[in-house]
């Protein structure tokens, strides 16, 4: 029963930056993959970025070059560094942990990009 808690969301102006954190109660080193998803008003939840157990990363085309996913296994935490934020990045961002036999979700953190 892994628990995930996101933090770091907030209000920023276009072009600004935010760093999201996701703290896990379990050992993330044993996860097959961990990632960030987001859901904007009126839209379905979508993949933002993922990092595998081996360290490989993948990003949605809309954020590639602007966002960076990373992890700290010792702290059981993953991060999402978001730069050059756009209004269309506004959404609730969710942390996900995928194990071989189960998947877990956090409750989300709100990111609002507005002037």
């Amino acid at each position: 029963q892994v628990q995930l808690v996101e933090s770091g969301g907030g209000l920023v102006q276009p072009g600004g930056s935010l760093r999201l954190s996701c703290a896990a109660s379990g050992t993330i080193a044993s996860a097959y993959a961990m990632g960030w998803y987001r859901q904007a008003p009126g839209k379905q939840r979508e993949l933002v970025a993922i990092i595998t157990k081996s360290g490989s990363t993948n990003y949605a085309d809309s954020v590639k070059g602007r966002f960076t996913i990373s992890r700290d296994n010792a702290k059981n935490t993953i991060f999402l560094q978001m730069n050059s934020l756009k209004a269309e990045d506004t959404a609730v961002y969710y942390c996900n942990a995928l194990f071989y036999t189960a998947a877990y979700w956090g409750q989300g953190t709100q990111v609002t990009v507005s002037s």
Side-chain angles (χ1 to χ4, degrees):
Q1 298 181 6
V2 176
Q3 294 180 335
L4 305 173
V5 180
E6 302 96 335
S7 63
L11 174 65
V12 296
Q13 296 183 8
S17 298
L18 280 176
R19 187 186 189 224
L20 305 183
S21 299
C22 172
S25 62
T27 301
I28 64 171
S30 62
Y32 177 74
M34 296 193 68
W36 289 94
Y37 292 72
R38 68 186 182 187
Q39 187 166 21
K43 298 183 179 180
Q44 296 185 21
R45 187 174 298 186
E46 64 177 350
L47 173 69
V48 176
I50 188 168
I51 183 166
T52 69
K53 187 176 182 178
S54 66
S56 298
T57 59
N58 194 26
Y59 299 89
D61 288 341
S62 60
V63 307
K64 191 172 184 179
R66 300 187 297 119
F67 291 11
T68 303
I69 187 171
S70 62
R71 69 170 184 250
D72 186 335
N73 287 344
K75 296 182 181 294
N76 291 320
T77 303
I78 66 166
F79 306 92
L80 184 68
Q81 179 66 46
M82 305 185 295
N83 299 325
S84 301
L85 284 162
K86 305 174 181 179
E88 51 263 43
D89 295 318
T90 296
V92 177
Y93 284 71
Y94 298 90
C95 180
N96 170 264
L98 177 64
F99 293 82
Y100 288 104
T101 58
Y104 302 91
W105 292 90
Q107 293 300 304
T109 184
Q110 177 71 48
V111 172
T112 302
V113 184
S114 177
S115 299

